[in-house]
């Protein structure tokens, strides 16, 4: 599912409110700053962000948002490096290059439409989560050489040979 492009939803998506609440709970428990529905078994265009752990940066710290049916309108600016991790790929962190500014169309939890520009770390978190609803992982965005070096670790994760303090489902079970 993590490699599949996720589908848009309407207000009628079953148990949406509970799903969003559960996603916040899972994200906080795992000490993440974002989580996308495909990471918790729903192939839908929903992700949430809460930058609270970035407590040295006022803007990021106070950024909390539910994103539904997001569409990337534009990405621009210099590419910059940021060390990314992912709750679905535990124990691996890699520098990823992404553009500094994005413009995004999305709906909030009340299905109110927004079109907004985000920059810097907030844009970065959104770009990572947006990738999840497009079926892209941050390890798809690193060099072939880095990916080769990670090959065994990634294979071990897919087999469930990894220690995490939150619940995971694995694509390859022995
Ligand atoms: Zn992720």
């Amino acid at each position: 599912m993590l490699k599949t492009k996720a589908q848009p939803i309407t207000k009628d998506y079953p148990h949406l409110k509970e799903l969003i609440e559960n996603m916040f709970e899972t994200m906080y428990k795992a000490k993440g700053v974002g989580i996308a529905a495909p990471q918790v078994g729903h192939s839908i265009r929903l992700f949430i962000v809460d930058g609270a752990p970035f407590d040295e940066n006022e803007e990021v710290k106070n950024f909390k948002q539910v994103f539904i049916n997001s569409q990337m309108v534009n990405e621009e600016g210099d590419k910059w490096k940021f060390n990314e991790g992912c709750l679905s790929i535990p124990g691996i962190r890699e520098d990823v290059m992404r553009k500094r500014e994005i413009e995004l169309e999305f709906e909030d939890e009340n299905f109110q439409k927004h079109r907004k520009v985000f920059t810097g770390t907030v844009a970065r978190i959104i770009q990572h989560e947006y990738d999840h609803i497009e079926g892209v992982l941050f390890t798809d965005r690193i060099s072939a050489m880095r990916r080769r070096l990670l090959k065994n670790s990634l294979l071990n994760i897919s087999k469930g040979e990894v220690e995490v303090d939150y619940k995971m489902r694995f694509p390859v079970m022995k």
Side-chain angles (χ1 to χ4, degrees), residues 39 85-88 128-129 132 138:
Q39 295 181 274
C86 181
L87 300 180
S88 297
H128 178 110
E129 299 312 324
H132 276 302
F138 80 96

Side-chain angles (χ1 to χ4, degrees), residues 139-151:
T139 45
D140 297 326
R141 295 197 178 274
I142 60 178
S143 70
M145 193 192 79
R146 288 298 308 162
R147 210 163 34 237
R148 208 159 52 237
L149 290 171
L150 291 177
K151 201 177 158 217

Side-chain angles (χ1 to χ4, degrees), residues 28 69 113 154:
Y28 292 139
N69 297 336
K113 276 191 199 295
L154 292 173

Side-chain angles (χ1 to χ4, degrees), residues 107-150:
E107 289 155 34
D108 59 28
E109 63 274 37
N110 301 312
F111 286 81
Q112 203 76 44
K113 276 191 199 295
H114 302 267
R115 184 175 176 137
K116 279 190 183 163
V117 171
F118 301 99
T119 57
T121 307
V122 170
R124 172 63 65 144
I125 300 168
I126 295 170
Q127 284 164 316
H128 178 110
E129 299 312 324
Y130 184 83
D131 267 357
H132 276 302
I133 64 169
E134 290 287 307
V136 176
L137 297 173
F138 80 96
T139 45
D140 297 326
R141 295 197 178 274
I142 60 178
S143 70
M145 193 192 79
R146 288 298 308 162
R147 210 163 34 237
R148 208 159 52 237
L149 290 171
L150 291 177

